[in-house]
Amino acid sequence: MASLQTLDYAVIAGYLLVLTAICLRVLRRAPDADELFLAGRSLGWGVIGLSLFASNISSTTLIGLPGAAWQSGIAVANYEWMAAVVLVLSLVFVVPLFIGNRLATVPELLERRFDHRLRKYLSAVSVVLGIFLDAAGSLYAGALVLQVFFPGLSLGLACAGIAAFAGLYTAAGGLRAVAYTDVLQALVLLAGSMTLTVILFGEFDYSWAKVVAAVPAEKLSLLRPIDDPNLPWLGTVIGLPILGFYYWTMNQYVAQRLLGARDLEAAGWGTILAAALKLLPLFLMVLPGVMAAALITDLARPDDVFPRLVADYAPAGIAGLILAGLLAAIMSSVDSALNSSSTLLTLDFIQPRRPGMSVAALGNLGRWLTLGLVAIAAIWAPAIGDFPGLFAYLQEGFTYAATPLVAVFLVALVSRRVGATPALLGTIAGHAFSVGWLIATRLGYLHLHFTIVAGVLLVFTVAAIHLCQWRYPQAVSAAQQAAVDRRRRPGISQPLRIAVAIVMLLTTWLVLMFR
């Protein structure tokens, strides 16, 4: 059983005290609605980049990446480097539209391109995904690891405690509190992960040749055969860009940092920083799991890898730092999901119905919504244990729910001929097809990997949208076309274009090194 020393508790307590101090400093601003949801559109590039990274590296990632690597190898890192590719492409093609249109929510772009129905549709699905997948999944994963170090702690109580702390400071401080605490949490995450990696590498005398000799060759390959049950290469090429596009571009959970940027330049450099940081998990989270495969062979399940590594190899103080990193991952994911979901509910559903509400009233409403949403996530989180596995729960949820949304978003960006009603009908048809495919898969009639299924769902939804446009033709106004016309918006600067090229070259080098 894992145990913590006095020094470990001191490190964790220090982290929580610093986090509380940051929150109290942010609270001096007494945030209104604009401050609560968008940080007054004043975030700088460093805060944006570190917050994007921290909110993504959730407790499910910190536990799931080493566990998946221990079980099947480094192919799970494809999710990480693909995120870098999606981020820089979004910077070139989408972020200028976000900043140029001065959006408050991502679904607002669909309203300008189509109508209010698509805005509410995307917003509603995003809230459900944010609470039942992002927030609840992070609470559940974090509670599992806390139980390892605190055996007497029940799953429900652990979820409730994490939810209460994250929910209170998110409701009080809004996006600024989320973003600035994410800076601390990103640094703690990087420090804890790097320390554990160095310790494990020391078990191999800091020799990469010894690691290669101790681990099967197939576990050190990013691109796996097409029949690989974990992540086939075709799924990497087709499915991961689709899932990544939803997560990094359409998901209010992530995009809210970009919408809160002071200008396009700040959003751009923040995106570049986040993309560069997404190349690190291969070395700091995935390779430690592969090294653990040579060091630990008696685990009952892959999700036990991370706590076992901390318990067996981290000395006093370092274990506390790594556990603080886990707490940072939990808090960052939960606060991001809560703030984004309350933003969507307030600005996409309530404000349009009550346009006369003051900014102060909207801010107060957002706080109460945040507390209500965190309660729902905490209640649902323990039920995730009844599903086959956390990773499958999360990835399949995003595949079947988000892919039709990606399809209509891409149509909005690319097509100038599709009207609002055909877009809505086609998206609904895509989700109906998704539900049917999911049921057929659960009943054992279909066996296609979910990353490849994402490609099928995307093609079907795009085809359904265009078929509906052909059957029920609807004109597109000049104002609707202008909302997504990048020629009417300033593009990114030349230095940013150079940075995009550098990130792409680094990503290509990484893939070729571990192909």
Side-chain angles (χ1 to χ4, degrees), residues 302-327:
D303 287 346
D304 292 334
V305 171
F306 178 80
R308 179 68 177 272
L309 288 175
V310 175
D312 289 359
Y313 294 98
I318 300 300
L321 176 65
I322 295 170
L323 189 55
L326 172 67
L327 291 173

Side-chain angles (χ1 to χ4, degrees), residues 233-292:
W233 68 265
L234 186 59
T236 297
V237 174
I238 295 177
L240 297 196
I242 296 171
L243 298 177
F245 185 85
Y246 172 79
Y247 187 89
W248 292 103
T249 304
M250 298 177 60
N251 193 353
Q252 185 77 14
Y253 171 94
V254 172
Q256 197 156 338
R257 281 103 175 123
L258 300 174
L259 301 179
R262 66 168 64 104
D263 52 33
L264 179 58
E265 200 72 5
W269 287 111
T271 302
I272 292 294
L273 175 58
L277 290 174
K278 287 302 291 178
L279 300 179
L280 295 180
L282 170 61
F283 303 100
L284 301 184
M285 300 171 192
V286 175
L287 285 177
V290 172
M291 288 187 280

Side-chain angles (χ1 to χ4, degrees), residues 46-62:
V47 173
I48 292 171
L50 289 171
S51 184
L52 284 171
F53 176 76
S55 62
N56 169 249
I57 302 298
S58 64
S59 53
T60 58
T61 305
L62 205 58

Side-chain angles (χ1 to χ4, degrees), residues 396 400 435-447:
E396 290 191 18
Y400 290 101
V435 171
W437 194 292
L438 176 60
I439 293 173
T441 300
R442 289 299 180 196
L443 294 177
Y445 296 113
L446 296 173
H447 304 282

Side-chain angles (χ1 to χ4, degrees), residues 81-139:
W81 66 259
M82 185 61 76
V85 174
V86 172
L87 274 166
V88 295
L89 291 178
S90 295
L91 170 59
V92 175
F93 297 107
V94 183
V95 175
L97 294 176
F98 286 173
I99 305 300
N101 281 299
R102 288 188 62 80
L103 303 178
T105 67
V106 175
E108 188 179 344
L109 185 64
L110 288 188
E111 180 178 36
R112 298 190 186 190
R113 171 57 183 85
F114 295 120
D115 62 18
H116 68 281
R117 294 173 298 173
L118 264 300
R119 176 180 182 174
K120 287 180 168 57
Y121 191 97
L122 172 58
S123 186
V125 177
S126 297
V127 169
V128 172
L129 292 178
I131 296 304
F132 288 95
L133 294 185
D134 290 321
S138 295
L139 290 175

